[in-house]
Structure formats: structure tokens, C-alpha cells
Amino acid sequence: MTLTVLQVSAELYPLVKTGGLADVAAALPEALAAQGADVRLLLPGLPAFRESLTGECALAPLALPWAEGRAVLLRGRLAGMGRTVVYLLDAPGLFERPGNPYADETGQAYADNHRRFALLGLAAARLAEGLDARWRPQVVHAHDWHAALSCAHVAASRTRGRTQARSVYTVHNLAYQGLFPASQFEDLGLPPEHYAVEGLEFYGQVSFMKAGLHFADALTTVSPTYAREIQTQAQGCGLDGLLRHRAGVLHGILNGVDYRVWSPAHDRAIARPYSAERPEGKSGCKAALQQECGLAESPEAPLFSVVSRLTEQKGLPLVLQTLPDLLAGGGQLVVLGSGDAALEAAFAQAATRYPRQIARRVGMDEGLAHRIYAGSDVMLVPSRFEPCGLTQLYGLSYGALPLVHRVGGLADTVVDCTLEDLDAGTATGFVFNDHDFVEFGRALRRAFVLWRRPEMWRGVCATAMRQQFSWEASARRYLEVYRQCIGSTA
Ligand code: ADP
Ligand code: GLC
């Protein structure tokens, strides 16, 4: 019997993206479908989704837990995004806004986010109850706090005997929890008993994250190491007790890479194609990037890059602290990203002071991100914590060796250039243990040492580019989790 799965996400590459969640939300359904699952998506009716919806058909309107406004579920497909059927939660009063899915153009979180994302969860449960007479999911798979109320609503529907569906909740980042005042609980449309310690109450507040962690039938997160880390007090963000309690249904499944999008052999955004077998084009990509960013066009200078949200999580002060070493070694740096004002200002200042060695670009720029992976020699990912991380995986694919903190998914995907691993031909990057500038600086020195040995560098690049983080393997793991949930081996 074909397994029917509804994926619920607030982001989807390339239409709505603030980070790696969008890439995962786009790639996973296709990988599941390739293995025979019948997968559909539920998305909030954000302008970019609304504009791309084709062949739409309106299902029944949704009853809202509050008085004003209207919402209806639309079924259709997204233009240019294959054959996957999409349900769009059309509620213009909630979603037709500029800015990103969560905040306005000034970065201020929308005051009614609890309603916006509660309704997304409610819509998932209605689909599980059979709102669309032609299709209903056996498994509702919710991603991050924005979709987490799906799990509570599905559980409530099941208690009322309206569905048999199970829910799976994936934590992409435990640090973003979706916390709201307790007074907003009544807007969520949930049974009153859900506001409890054994529910979504969290120190006197409503926690969407906890709704997922408590009510989902199975939990996953995006790397095996992060699955262990979040069960510790140090990295559990106050939820480690609950995660330890649910350890029996918690799975660490590494994200994959969509190599149709992230492969230098056929990436149309980059100056020249290249591959592990034919790496010559990479030098052209580097020269093009140096030119585009106003850097000295020097093949000898190792080019370090950052493509990242500039937030506390990403540990970028280490890059700033070690800039003198990077410059003294003759290195160059490109930073693409926005976020924290102080970090933005610090990188801007550095770029103004050393315009031929340091460049920075603000905002989301998908094309430039591709050109940076292709043109760089090293991707810097010194995150304090990192559930999976995709930029190091893209760095590997493009032969831009990742320099990473040994944490979360970074620890699971990059092999340090120790003498043993160099000798064994298994090294793919540079890994440091303690999150301080001494350790980071040592890893940076290892990068320079290897750079001065071009033949070895080329060998490590080839190993890096041959790594395969396929979605196929990860999708197989998700399918096992779904089947366990519905208690079937079908
Ligand atoms: P996170 O989801 O925590 O931000 P990931 O490493 O999982 O981190 O994913 C980041 C994704 O966002 C990658 O696809 C990366 O290329 C992309 N990205 C980050 N910043 C930018 C930017 N400024 N412009 C374009 N893409 C970006
Ligand atoms: C989150 C995490 C990141 C992960 C991404 C996709 O944004 O911060 O580590 O790669 O989700 O799962």
C-alpha cells in the first residue's frame, strides 16, 4: 500500500527561504516520492507561494478559532516545481505581507505569529481528518516550531476519533522555540487540557516547540550528533529532560544534498563547470569571484568564505578575532549574509579597510552563494552549535574545504586534515574542538599549511568533492520512521 505523507513547512526553496529548512523542505518530498511514497505539501499562503500556485482548486473553508478573518485551503501545484501537489493555507489577513515568513521588513516578529502558525497546524489536522475527499495523509510530518502545532492538532483529532493519522516532528533548530504568552493559548484551537506540563506549557508560556516534542508520535532531528547533544543540559535549551524522556522515538537523520542544484559539474550560476575528475574550471570560478567582489585577482591567495545568517549560533566573532592571521598569511575573505547589526558593521569595516582582501555582501543572494562555493578554497563554519549545517556540505561538493567546529552535523560530515587522515586519503577539511580563537586559529594554520602543499590540497579537494550525502539514504530512514509510526511494515 502506498504511504501517504503530508509535509508541513513554512519555507520551500527557491520560493521562500531564510535558511537550510527551505532546502530540506524542497528536496525531501521528492526523495520520498522517488521511493514510492505519495507526498504532498502544506504551506502557509505567503505571497511568493500564492503567486506561483497553478491549477488551483478551493477546498472547504476552515473554521477559525477566533472571530475575524477567513481562511481556505487551496490545492494546486507550484509553477516550475514538478508534479508535487501542494495545499496552500490561503488567509490573506495573516499571510499577505512583505518581509520574511516570520517577521516584517524591520525584522520585528509579527504580533499574531501564534495565530498564523496555529492555523497551519489546524489545517494539517483537517487534512488528516479528510477535508480533501480525494486524499488524506497517514503521516503528517511537521518541520520546526512553525509547523509543530500540527502534532498537537492531529493528536486532538485522534482523541476525538476523527483521524487515524500519526505525526512526525523534525527539529531543525532547538534554539528557535516559538514561545508565546499563556494568554494566547485560547487562540490556538486546542483542547484546554493541552495547556499543561504534559503538553505545550513551558515555564508559564505556550511553546510550539514543545507541542511538537510532546505530541508527535516520532521525533527526528537533522544529524546523529545533534540528536545526542539536545539530550544534554548544555544544548537542550531547557527541553533536554523531555528529549531524554522521548529518546526511544528520537532519530538523528542527516540531511542530504540535492546534487541537481548543488553540483559544480552542471551549475549554471557559476563561471565554469568542473568536477573531482576535471577540476580545472575551479580556478576560473575563483578568478571570476575575485573580480566580482573587487578582490586582488591572485590565484595564490587562499580564498576563505562565509555564507551564513549572521547570528549568535554561527560563531562568527572567531573569524573577526583571527582576521589579522588570515590577512598576514596572504588569505582573502568573502562574507555573504545579514543579521546581527554589530557583526554586519564589523565585517563592513574590515572590508572598507582591506578592500583587495576582504569583501562582504549583505542580504540573501542565491546566485552569489553558488558563485562563492565554486570560487572559494575554504568555507568557514565556526558555529557554536549546528543541527546539521548545509554550507559545509555544499563546500565539500564544490571543493571549498570546510573549516568547522566539531559540533552537531559539522562533526558528522567533515574529516579533519590530521596526518593519519591525510595519509589514509579520508581528510576533507579542517575541524577544531574548543570554540575559542586559539583552536580556531590552529585550524586556520592547518589550512595555510596544506595550501602551501598544492598537490596534497588537490588530493583533499578531490576527496571532498567525491563525498556523497544523498537524500536517497536519508529518505529511506524517514520512511522507516513513518512505517514504525503507523505500525506497519508495508
Ligand atoms: P541555517 O539553516 O542554520 O541558516 P544551513 O547551513 O543549514 O544553516 O543552511 C543555510 C542555507 O542558506 C544554505 O542553503 C546557504 O547557502 C543559504 N544561505 C545562507 N545565507 C545566505 C545568503 N546571504 N544568501 C544566499 N544564501 C544563503
Ligand atoms: C536549521 C539548522 C541547520 C540545518 C537546517 C536544515 O536551520 O540551523 O543546521 O542544516 O535547519 O535542517
Side-chain angles (χ1 to χ4, degrees):
M1 195 186 71
T2 308
L3 189 64
T4 52
V5 184
L6 182 70
Q7 300 276 333
V8 192
S9 168
E11 302 186 21
L12 187 76
Y13 167 87
L15 295 172
V16 176
K17 169 166 169 174
T18 72
L21 170 65
D23 293 3
V24 174
L28 176 61
E30 291 199 27
L32 292 166
Q35 292 184 42
D38 178 2
V39 186
R40 297 189 175 191
L41 306 179
L42 170 62
L43 303 166
L46 300 164
F49 292 141
R50 194 69 195 75
E51 284 154 22
S52 296
L53 196 70
T54 59
E56 70 189 63
C57 140
L59 303 172
L62 290 177
L64 302 179
W66 51 87
E68 70 279 13
R70 62 156 201 95
V72 62
L73 265 179
L74 306 177
R75 187 184 60 214
R77 289 193 166 85
L78 294 171
M81 299 230 11
R83 299 196 44 76
T84 310
V85 175
V86 169
Y87 296 99
L88 208 60
L89 175 55
D90 187 33
L94 296 176
F95 296 118
E96 285 281 339
R97 299 173 188 181
N100 78 27
Y102 324 111
D104 67 19
E105 285 158 310
T106 69
Q108 185 71 31
Y110 294 120
D112 55 357
N113 269 347
H114 66 293
R115 285 188 173 182
R116 302 170 77 232
F117 295 109
L119 198 61
L120 190 66
L122 192 77
R126 294 295 166 267
L127 285 165
E129 289 173 0
L131 185 81
D132 182 349
R134 303 210 311 227
W135 189 88
R136 89 163 66 188
Q138 292 164 286
V139 175
V140 172
H141 183 171
H143 295 270
D144 264 357
W145 74 262
H146 336 113
L149 249 62
S150 308
C151 307
H153 279 295
V154 166
S157 297
R158 219 161 58 210
T159 306
R160 294 185 197 120
R162 294 184 189 159
T163 184
Q164 303 278 322
R166 304 283 144 171
S167 67
V168 174
Y169 178 55
T170 295
V171 178
H172 291 267
N173 195 331
L174 196 64
Y176 299 98
Q177 302 195 346
L179 291 175
F180 300 97
S183 57
Q184 296 184 336
F185 176 77
E186 63 185 31
D187 276 352
L188 308 184
L190 287 168
E193 62 272 18
H194 278 200
Y195 187 71
V197 177
E198 300 272 303
L200 42 69
E201 188 270 347
F202 187 63
Y203 296 104
Q205 288 187 288
V206 162
S207 163
F208 275 41
M209 174 64 74
K210 212 180 149 201
L213 298 182
H214 179 81
F215 288 105
D217 296 286
L219 304 174
T220 75
T221 189
V222 287
S223 70
T225 295
Y226 193 61
R228 288 191 296 276
E229 289 169 347
I230 56 178
Q231 295 179 53
T232 65
Q233 200 180 4
Q235 292 217 49
C237 302
L239 291 161
D240 45 295
L242 174 54
L243 284 157
R244 284 194 299 276
H245 177 66
R246 304 223 62 202
V249 295
L250 170 62
H251 310 266
I253 305 177
L254 200 65
N255 287 332
V257 172
D258 187 341
Y259 289 105
R260 293 168 307 178
V261 179
W262 297 104
S263 171
H266 49 251
D267 186 336
R268 293 223 204 96
I270 66 177
R272 305 238 182 97
Y274 62 94
S275 63
E277 290 67 38
R278 307 210 50 185
E280 302 78 27
K282 186 163 173 78
S283 56
C285 293
K286 178 170 172 178
L289 179 64
Q290 286 171 322
Q291 196 175 37
E292 175 174 1
C293 293
L295 299 173
E297 279 177 55
S298 142
E300 301 81 38
L303 177 45
F304 296 82
S305 293
V306 172
V307 176
S308 182
R309 295 182 288 116
L310 304 186
T311 60
E312 168 73 15
Q313 171 189 350
K314 301 295 179 179
L316 294 166
L318 290 187
V319 177
L320 287 166
Q321 279 171 309
T322 48
L323 265 185
D325 299 335
L326 191 150
L327 296 174
Q332 298 181 337
L333 175 69
V334 174
V335 178
L336 169 62
S338 47
D340 182 89
L343 279 174
E344 274 190 24
F347 282 118
Q349 211 178 14
T352 309
R353 188 145 171 225
Y354 304 100
R356 302 292 282 162
Q357 278 187 280
I358 303 179
R360 65 112 199 195
R361 296 288 182 270
V362 185
M364 284 298 274
D365 186 335
E366 199 68 30
L368 180 56
H370 283 248
R371 296 193 293 280
I372 291 178
Y373 294 117
S376 305
D377 299 303
V378 179
M379 293 307 299
L380 298 174
V381 197
S383 309
R384 291 182 168 280
F385 67 93
E386 195 62 76
C388 176
L390 295 173
T391 62
Q392 86 282 12
L393 297 181
Y394 301 157
L396 289 169
S397 174
Y398 284 78
L401 303 184
L403 189 160
V404 306
H405 181 206
R406 195 186 300 284
V407 74
L410 302 174
D412 292 339
T413 53
V414 183
V415 179
D416 189 32
C417 277
T418 59
L419 286 176
E420 303 89 301
D421 279 302
L422 283 170
D423 186 54
T426 45
T428 57
F430 313 96
V431 187
F432 63 98
N433 293 326
D434 299 332
H435 201 270
D436 59 43
F437 77 95
V438 177
E439 274 284 290
F440 180 80
R442 286 167 60 88
L444 203 59
R445 284 223 300 281
R446 283 205 294 291
F448 277 109
V449 169
L450 192 71
W451 181 253
R452 289 196 294 268
R453 290 159 178 77
E455 202 173 320
M456 287 174 86
W457 184 279
R458 281 194 294 273
V460 176
C461 268
T463 308
M465 292 178 71
R466 289 201 184 99
Q467 301 298 304
Q468 285 292 316
F469 293 93
S470 83
W471 267 113
E472 193 193 339
S474 305
R476 207 173 303 124
R477 298 275 321 275
Y478 279 109
L479 284 173
E480 280 165 23
V481 172
Y482 300 158
R483 287 190 180 117
Q484 274 167 18
C485 275
I486 60 171
S488 121
T489 51

